[in-house]
Amino acid sequence: MKIAFYGSSLLSAYWNGAATYYRGLLRNLAARGYDITFYEPDVYDRQKNRDIEPPEWCKVVVYDGTVEALRAEAAKAAEADIVVKTSGVGFEDNRLLDEVLRAARPDAMKIFWDVDAPATLAELRASPDHPQLKALHEIDAVLTYGGGDPVVNAYTAIGAKRCIPIYNALDPETHHPVDPDPRFTADLAFLGNRLPDREARVESFFLNPAAGLPGQRFILGGSGWGDKPMAGNIDYIGHVGTRDHNAFNVTPKAVLNISRDSMADMGFSPATRVFEACGAGACLITDAWLGVDFFLKPDEEVLVARDGQDVADILSGLTPERAKQIGEAGLARVLRDHTYADRAAEADQIFRDFRAKQAEAAE
């Protein structure tokens, strides 16, 4: 079956946290025989900051950030058996959804794939006339990369026919243990772009504990933190390309995951960062959120901090031997239960169920 997938970017992770998710999921769907074309707009300097070239398992079409180009590429949805429009494409999202749905064949499965359900739902609740609300009756399924029952129930309440989480996961081919890199030597490292709905949590869970532990070394990676006041024992290194993620994760004694406000409030929304870190064998400390124990076992496969004081306490008592044990257990768990091969199998079953129901209805 042919999939037309309209998303932010497959080729660049620059200001595009969903790239890892798209790559892992689509590569494994291609391995199951799907013929996939990914359509992405040339915006936000992503094409100038590519970290992969077009892969052999997926055709990539990069189009200009113009309405004319958008319409031309949206029209190609007519060639697909499955048409996917994601959230957060970044250029004329509402127009793109409208054009894609208009072009899709009547028998095609139409999917809205939400990679930031809390933000999308908040936007829809605030705007009763939102175009996406009107489009829900044309969409066969809403798939999300997190949220659990709260997101499923919220989408169902506003008119979605089906809402199913396809969670973030690990691609063992891209995120795996490597040798330590002296550039990333630290007691604790955090990687994340500076975003308004995460900054306060970064202060609480990372910057404040660092200030209170002057004898320990901290590394902060990600874009936008250059003018942020921080303690002298924090080494700010800016954007970290995906080619360095494994070394960034495996070298420090521990790495930290900090959820955005909306993701923490919603629960059941582990970032790709969680699985990438565990996949490298890192000792992961995560902020507390509802559902963490669904993915990893606290105190054995992951360490959970309720606040900055918990982070400081964990670091103060964390030995290299204990960190190694946590990292090894987390790696074993994600390889067993949380790979993109697993997630692709889930998506494949959803697609097949849709086709089976179509066939039954036609009899």
Side-chain angles (χ1 to χ4, degrees):
M1 286 191 284
K2 291 185 177 181
I3 301 177
F5 200 104
Y6 295 82
S8 52
S9 181
L10 189 74
L11 303 180
S12 176
Y14 185 72
W15 287 101
N16 179 38
T20 299
Y21 181 73
Y22 296 150
R23 292 167 187 173
L25 189 66
L26 297 185
R27 186 176 67 80
N28 281 279
L29 281 172
R32 288 177 165 269
Y34 289 90
D35 180 358
I36 307 169
T37 301
F38 192 102
Y39 298 89
E40 60 180 79
D42 186 359
V43 293
Y44 300 121
D45 286 333
R46 287 177 181 144
Q47 299 308 313
K48 296 178 182 177
N49 291 277
R50 286 187 181 185
D51 48 344
I52 67 168
E53 291 303 313
E56 61 182 16
W57 41 264
C58 178
K59 179 182 178 183
V60 180
V61 175
V62 179
Y63 60 92
D64 290 339
T66 65
V67 171
E68 182 179 11
L70 177 153
R71 285 176 172 157
E73 300 308 328
K76 295 177 183 176
E79 303 168 7
D81 304 296
I82 300 170
V83 177
V84 176
K85 159 67 173 69
T86 72
S87 64
V89 172
F91 177 74
E92 293 282 353
D93 270 79
N94 294 331
R95 187 189 300 271
L96 178 60
L97 178 61
D98 182 60
E99 294 287 343
V100 163
L101 290 176
R102 181 181 294 117
R105 301 194 314 262
D107 65 331
M109 184 178 189
K110 303 163 191 70
I111 295 171
F112 178 70
W113 210 310
D114 198 341
V115 295
D116 192 354
T120 304
L121 288 166
E123 182 180 340
L124 296 182
R125 291 190 190 102
S127 179
D129 296 325
H130 199 287
Q132 190 172 319
L133 284 171
K134 300 175 183 178
L136 279 176
H137 73 280
E138 299 181 57
I139 294 169
D140 297 300
V142 175
L143 304 184
T144 74
Y145 83 174
D149 288 345
V151 163
V152 171
N153 294 337
Y155 258 116
T156 303
I158 61 173
K161 297 175 184 176
R162 298 181 74 194
C163 179
I164 307 169
I166 304 290
Y167 292 110
N168 279 317
L170 168 71
D171 184 345
E173 290 196 9
T174 57
H175 292 90
H176 48 76
V178 298
D179 292 333
D181 187 324
R183 292 178 299 162
F184 306 124
T185 299
D187 294 286
L188 184 68
F190 169 70
L191 176 61
N193 293 331
R194 188 177 184 179
L195 298 171
D197 66 343
R198 182 166 55 193
E199 186 163 356
R201 292 176 69 84
V202 173
E203 292 173 357
S204 174
F205 283 86
F206 185 76
L207 299 182
N208 293 344
L213 295 169
Q216 299 204 30
R217 184 185 178 197
F218 295 75
I219 292 178
L220 172 61
S223 300
W225 299 102
D227 62 349
K228 182 74 175 178
M230 60 186 72
N233 60 336
I234 299 175
D235 183 11
Y236 173 53
I237 60 175
H239 176 70
V240 179
T242 53
R243 67 178 65 87
D244 287 327
H245 281 190
N246 290 322
F248 183 95
N249 286 327
V250 81
T251 303
K253 185 166 65 175
V255 296
L256 182 64
N257 172 69
I258 304 174
S259 305
R260 289 166 37 219
D261 293 340
S262 56
M263 294 295 191
D265 291 342
M266 187 69 69
F268 288 89
S269 301
T272 55
R273 179 100 183 94
V274 167
F275 301 104
E276 290 179 9
C278 289
C283 174
L284 177 66
I285 303 171
T286 184
D287 57 338
W289 38 271
L290 180 64
V292 63
D293 56 342
F294 178 80
F295 301 95
L296 296 164
K297 190 171 184 179
D299 296 325
E300 292 186 18
E301 299 163 346
V302 65
L303 299 173
V304 180
R306 296 163 299 177
D307 52 30
Q309 185 59 55
D310 273 1
V311 173
D313 291 344
I314 289 170
L315 284 177
S316 296
L318 185 64
T319 65
E321 293 76 20
R322 172 72 169 147
K324 186 172 185 291
Q325 289 175 350
I326 296 289
E328 290 175 348
L331 172 59
R333 176 64 183 277
V334 296
L335 288 175
R336 186 178 74 242
D337 295 333
H338 301 304
T339 68
Y340 279 114
D342 299 318
R343 305 301 192 244
E346 295 169 13
D348 176 54
Q349 191 60 55
I350 292 168
F351 302 157
R352 291 180 182 278
D353 288 347
F354 177 81
R355 288 298 174 206
K357 289 179 181 179
Q358 271 190 329
E360 289 177 8
E363 291 179 355

